[in-house]
Amino acid sequence: DLDTWASSTNAYVTTWYDQSGNGQHATQTTSSLQPKVIDNGSVILDSNGYAAIEFDGSDDFMQMPFAAGSNSGYLISTVCDPNNNTTNQNLIDFRDVNNDGISLLGLSSGVIHARTDTVDATKPYSGSADLWTGEFTGSNVTAYVNGSGGTSLSGLNTSATTNGRIGSPAYSVSSTWNGKLSEVVIYLTDQSSNRSNIESNIAGRYGITLS
């Protein structure tokens, strides 16, 4: 669910509500930094025809009210539709200013990245509305596109106290997300035994075919 405000025939997101019941809502109180959900009177849709919010690639982001903290496992899944696949841009980020912590999915030249500190697992993507997942099992980091895994690298436990962001690095407004985003699911624990079920549930909701 979203809270929005309207400007003429456009509407922008102020709060993206956490559906887990934990109250970890993502917010953006500065109007110029808010992603758009209605454009010229029409709901923004991804390339599969599902409602999405759109980040402008300049400075839009949503602030999360929690940090990853000490971390020995994570799973982050997103349904996203980038406007281009050539520029570096950040989707979900919990790193601090020293680049310590976890992030998903730095995007550059058609490749996604799932990270723990300096460990960087990658996977090419198709360039449409896809399900992207980054997973750290406590031993390995892997990036997935539509259920298909890329490189799997030996991972590192992390500790970072900077609150996370959607659409921007956690520590600065730079290399921001340029495109649409329909879903974000974040677990800060190892979910390797549940990943296929989590992805199947999301894919079924958004018309995505898993590999």
Side-chain angles (χ1 to χ4, degrees):
D1 289 349
L2 304 174
D3 259 359
T4 65
W5 73 277
S7 173
S8 183
T9 56
N10 299 329
Y12 301 85
V13 179
T14 60
T15 304
W16 194 348
Y17 287 102
D18 173 19
Q19 299 299 302
S20 72
N22 294 316
Q24 303 283 28
H25 312 311
T27 60
Q28 181 51 264
T29 58
T30 303
S31 59
S32 63
L33 306 181
Q34 293 164 348
K36 186 186 292 186
V37 67
I38 302 291
D39 182 48
N40 197 29
S42 298
V43 174
I44 291 173
L45 303 177
D46 67 20
S47 57
N48 289 340
Y50 290 85
I53 62 177
E54 186 163 21
F55 295 72
D56 66 7
S58 174
D59 53 10
D60 291 354
F61 71 92
M62 302 294 292
Q63 181 69 56
M64 291 184 280
F66 61 96
S70 297
N71 193 269
S72 58
Y74 74 84
L75 183 144
I76 303 174
S77 287
T78 67
V79 176
C80 49
D81 194 358
N83 287 333
N84 72 75
N85 66 348
T86 58
T87 58
N88 188 48
Q89 46 193 301
N90 290 271
L91 189 46
I92 310 294
D93 195 286
F94 286 94
R95 294 172 295 166
D96 61 27
V97 70
N98 297 314
N99 206 30
D100 298 327
I102 64 176
S103 68
L104 179 89
L105 294 146
L107 168 67
S108 179
S109 300
V111 177
I112 69 169
H113 302 257
R115 301 188 181 106
T116 63
D117 288 355
T118 59
V119 178
D120 184 4
T122 62
K123 171 69 177 176
Y125 77 101
S126 65
S128 60
D130 291 314
L131 172 59
W132 297 358
T133 298
E135 178 185 67
F136 177 38
T137 66
S139 57
N140 292 307
V141 185
T142 311
Y144 295 84
V145 173
N146 297 339
S148 176
T151 60
S152 185
L153 304 176
S154 180
L156 300 171
N157 292 351
T158 66
S159 183
T161 58
T162 303
N163 284 359
R165 287 179 177 174
I166 301 171
S168 166
Y171 54 84
S172 69
V173 182
S174 61
S175 301
T176 54
W177 179 247
N178 183 1
K180 302 176 182 71
L181 184 59
S182 300
E183 184 73 88
V184 174
V185 175
I186 299 172
Y187 293 91
L188 295 178
T189 55
D190 174 24
Q191 295 293 318
S192 53
S193 63
N194 297 322
R195 180 183 58 81
S196 60
N197 289 332
I198 293 168
E199 290 188 319
S200 293
N201 182 59
I202 298 170
R205 166 65 179 82
Y206 290 98
I208 293 170
T209 301
L210 297 179
S211 303

